[in-house]
Amino acid sequence: MKTTIKKEWIYEQAPNEVWEYLTQAELIALWLMPNDFKLALGHEFHFKTNPMPSLDLDGIMHCKVMEIEPFKKLVYSWKAGSGDGLFSLDTVVEWKLEPHGKGTLLSLQHTGFKEANLALFNGMTDGWEKISLKLADQLNLKH
């Protein structure tokens, strides 16, 4: 079984503009999920979505900022479960931004899926594609 989701997208906006949408809570909410993110090493934050009992998820993703390289790289943990304090999903999300012409090559690596997470892995593989389109829409609305 694969344990990592890897994706790459090219956006016509410069890395500093894409970075804003990865690091400002109100902008993240426009394309990903409501959250209480802060760009600070060690900051613990949450993404919130609808509960998915069939996947053993209460709809709250517990995250912690693990690495920041301004305008180039952002890494955070991504844990979730049924809300009983146990996490059935314990993964890491890594974003990398590289200049690409006048735009940005945005890379996502979402690692740490286990066999028990197969349904989540499949759903999130498709989900990240859909989310990337929402991000593109938001970036284009800004211009």
Side-chain angles (χ1 to χ4, degrees):
M1 181 197 137
K2 288 186 178 182
T3 61
T4 301
I5 298 170
K6 290 183 180 181
K7 301 282 183 183
E8 288 187 343
W9 304 281
I10 296 173
Y11 296 105
E12 55 189 55
Q13 292 77 15
N16 64 317
E17 292 180 72
V18 177
W19 179 256
E20 290 178 13
Y21 281 82
L22 295 177
T23 61
Q24 294 181 20
E26 65 280 359
L27 297 178
I28 296 167
L30 295 174
W31 63 275
L32 187 53
M33 285 182 259
N35 65 89
D36 56 350
F37 180 87
K38 286 189 178 100
L39 186 60
L41 200 57
H43 175 68
E44 295 183 14
F45 65 100
H46 303 91
F47 287 118
K48 295 183 180 167
T49 189
N50 294 325
M52 294 172 260
S54 64
L55 295 174
D56 200 27
L57 297 177
D58 66 355
I60 300 171
M61 311 309 150
H62 301 263
C63 306
K64 183 177 182 177
V65 178
M66 300 168 67
E67 188 176 344
I68 301 167
E69 194 175 332
F71 309 107
K72 294 182 180 179
K73 185 177 181 183
L74 176 65
V75 181
Y76 47 80
S77 61
W78 181 295
K79 299 178 183 185
S82 59
D84 56 7
L86 300 175
F87 296 121
S88 53
L89 181 70
D90 188 351
T91 60
V92 173
V93 171
E94 178 180 297
W95 297 102
K96 285 187 179 175
L97 299 87
E98 297 175 38
H100 186 270
K102 292 181 181 176
T104 303
L105 171 65
L106 179 64
S107 302
L108 165 76
Q109 188 165 281
H110 193 163
T111 60
F113 291 91
K114 295 179 176 57
E115 199 163 318
N117 305 134
L118 182 60
L120 276 170
F121 176 86
N122 291 333
M124 292 182 91
T125 299
D126 292 338
W128 281 121
E129 280 301 324
K130 291 175 185 163
I131 286 167
S132 75
L133 297 174
K134 283 178 148 182
L135 175 56
D137 288 345
Q138 290 302 317
L139 285 163
N140 290 328
L141 284 173
K142 186 178 175 185
H143 290 277

